[in-house]
Every structure is written in structure tokens, then in C-alpha cells.
Amino acid sequence: MAKVKVTAKITAQEQLADGIYSMQIQVPQIASQAAAGQFVDLYSRDGSRLLPRPISLCGVDRENGALRLVYRVAGAGTEEFSHLKAGDTIDVLGPLGNGFTLREGKKAFLIGGGIGIPPMLELAKELSLVTGRENIQAVLGYRDSQMFLKEEFEQYGPVYVATEDGSFGAKGNVLDAIRENALDAQVIYACGPTPMLRALKAYAKEQGMECWLSLEEKMACGVGACLACVCRSKEVDGHSHVHNKRVCKDGPVFLADEIEL
């Protein structure tokens, strides 16, 4: 799989919730190769911002050569992106990172927390094709009742929600939703804040479950240059020769047992 840098045309952009935007871009060279769990780098037009911004893939339309990116405004770069509109262009590098390993025939939890929710939507679509709707359960964690993308997950299987303020679903986190609804599965796929992933790793070990975690939240540049996204690993890294892995180059998806959180 060869990453490419191209200038993409933006075909649509809309706001989904406070600070959450959905951007559609036409980029067939990347869409033809991309898979759930991977990401792209978006480049600012401001020359003072040297590092690109990594954004996960919420949707991949290989047939029409399009990608959907759902992101949160978290700084000057993403603030700039949020003002772009249909017809504008943006420089994109991708596809980057590794994707999720699809386990056919296993009942799965697809767990997303906050801005870790978007990449799970493309995973739900891809997994539904190989394992069937009956094996997919989405468990989504939000701050409040602004539940972006929830309805889109429902086409792939049942959706369970936790909100921090208790305004919808279980009050608390995704594990509270799992326990409150007495859910079970054989494999976990998850993306979200580090405390959530840490708790899910412990839960999976306790339950004897296979667990795949996407550590995208930790990424900065997305190309292995800044070394801001290293995580502790069991194996010695061939690049740094210490017990760590670069999330953007070696991940962002890891088996939970491979890493320390």
C-alpha cells in the first residue's frame, strides 16, 4: 500500500455538533486503498504550521473515490479546516497507519468514545459485510445528548449509549452501558480517550476477550517525524531500539496485549 500526497476537492462540509464537523473530499488515489482504522494527514495553508493534522477515516467510498472525515476543532489547524466549503481544495496525505483486523463470525463490540466514534462507523460498515449485522453491537460514549453519528450506526446493528451527564442512555462511560444492558461479545474494537482504552484493556483481560485498540488520540504529526505519539510496548522498537512504538507508523491499531497504557 503506497501513501500519496494529493490536492483533494472538498465536496461537502457540515457541522454535526458543537465543534464537530463532517467533511467529504474527493480523493480517488487514497480512497481506493483505504480501510477502516486508517487515517489521513490534512495540510494547513498557513506556512507557519509545519506539521499536518491527522484525521481518522469515518467513511470510505472506493467506488466514487471519496472519503468522509469527521473531526473536532481542537486548535488553529482544525479551526481553519472547519471554514472550508464545497469547491475548496486541501492537500491530503494517505492512507496512513494500519487498519483493524476483521474477525469473521465473532460477536463484536465496536466501542467509540468522543472523537474516537467516527472511525468506528467505517469499521461497522466493513465488518457487517464479513460477519453480518447480528454480530455487531456499537457502544458509544458521549459527553451529553449531542450524539453525532448515532443514527448512522443503527443501520449496522444495535447501538447502546453512555453519556457523562446521564442525559441519554447509561450515565457514565461505555463500560457502564455494557454492564447496564448485560451485553457480551467475543472481540472488542475500540477508539477513544486513553482512560477509556485502559479500562477496556483491563475488561478484555478479565473476560478473556480479544481486544483491538486504536490510539489515534495520541497522534500529532501522523508521519513519524515528531515522536510525540510513542507508547510503551512489550517488544523493542526497531527505530528507537527501546520499548516503545510510534502510534502513527506502527499503529494506530494495536492488539491490547502489545502495548501499555
Side-chain angles (χ1 to χ4, degrees):
M1 185 180 296
K3 62 180 180 287
V4 294
K5 185 178 181 182
V6 296
T7 299
K9 182 179 180 180
I10 296 168
T11 56
Q13 177 147 241
E14 63 176 323
Q15 186 170 357
L16 302 181
D18 289 345
I20 305 292
Y21 289 82
S22 173
M23 179 191 292
Q24 302 266 5
I25 59 175
Q26 196 69 25
V27 56
Q29 305 96 316
I30 297 176
S32 63
Q33 307 181 68
Q38 292 188 295
F39 64 100
V40 293
D41 271 347
L42 299 186
Y43 287 79
S44 169
R45 293 177 181 174
D46 184 342
S48 68
R49 298 180 193 132
L50 299 179
L51 294 176
R53 302 303 189 269
I55 308 288
S56 63
L57 303 181
C58 178
V60 178
D61 184 346
R62 297 178 187 87
E63 184 177 344
N64 295 303
L67 296 177
R68 183 185 186 190
L69 312 175
V70 173
Y71 62 95
R72 172 181 286 140
V73 173
T78 45
E79 172 69 25
E80 174 190 327
F81 302 152
S82 72
H83 294 290
L84 298 173
K85 57 187 184 302
D88 290 339
T89 59
I90 189 167
D91 288 342
V92 184
L93 176 70
L96 300 170
N98 64 339
F100 285 101
T101 298
L102 307 186
R103 295 303 194 200
E104 186 175 350
K106 287 192 174 184
K107 193 174 182 181
F109 283 143
L110 275 61
I111 302 176
I115 206 59
I117 291 171
M120 307 312 291
L121 185 59
E122 175 60 24
L123 177 61
K125 183 183 79 174
E126 293 186 15
L127 198 58
S128 70
L129 297 176
V130 300
T131 197
R133 190 181 191 276
E134 67 277 6
N135 283 323
I136 296 175
Q137 306 164 95
V139 186
L140 309 177
Y142 298 94
R143 291 175 181 170
D144 50 39
S145 57
Q146 292 194 62
M147 296 175 291
F148 58 94
L149 301 177
K150 174 180 174 290
E151 292 182 357
E152 297 185 50
F153 275 92
E154 290 170 350
Q155 64 185 304
Y156 302 113
V159 177
Y160 303 89
V161 169
T163 52
E164 292 178 15
D165 65 0
S167 56
F168 191 93
K171 178 177 172 56
N173 58 38
V174 291
L175 280 174
D176 293 314
I178 289 172
R179 291 171 178 137
E180 186 172 299
N181 292 284
L183 305 178
D184 65 273
Q186 296 165 291
V187 58
I188 291 174
Y189 302 97
C191 183
T194 300
M196 183 193 91
L197 299 182
R198 186 180 296 119
L200 287 173
K201 178 182 177 178
Y203 173 79
K205 184 175 182 180
E206 172 189 306
Q207 300 293 321
M209 298 170 65
E210 183 178 350
C211 182
W212 296 89
L213 303 177
S214 174
L215 274 57
E216 287 184 88
E217 185 197 38
K218 288 178 174 286
M219 290 190 298
C221 74
V223 295
C226 68
L227 299 182
C229 67
V230 294
C231 65
R232 293 281 297 169
S233 65
K234 287 187 176 180
E235 298 177 354
V236 173
D237 178 67
H239 175 76
S240 59
H241 306 294
V242 296
H243 286 275
N244 68 32
K245 289 184 181 292
R246 292 165 293 164
V247 173
C248 65
K249 297 290 285 186
D250 304 312
V253 180
F254 298 96
L255 262 174
D257 290 344
E258 294 178 351
I259 54 171
E260 297 178 17
L261 295 167

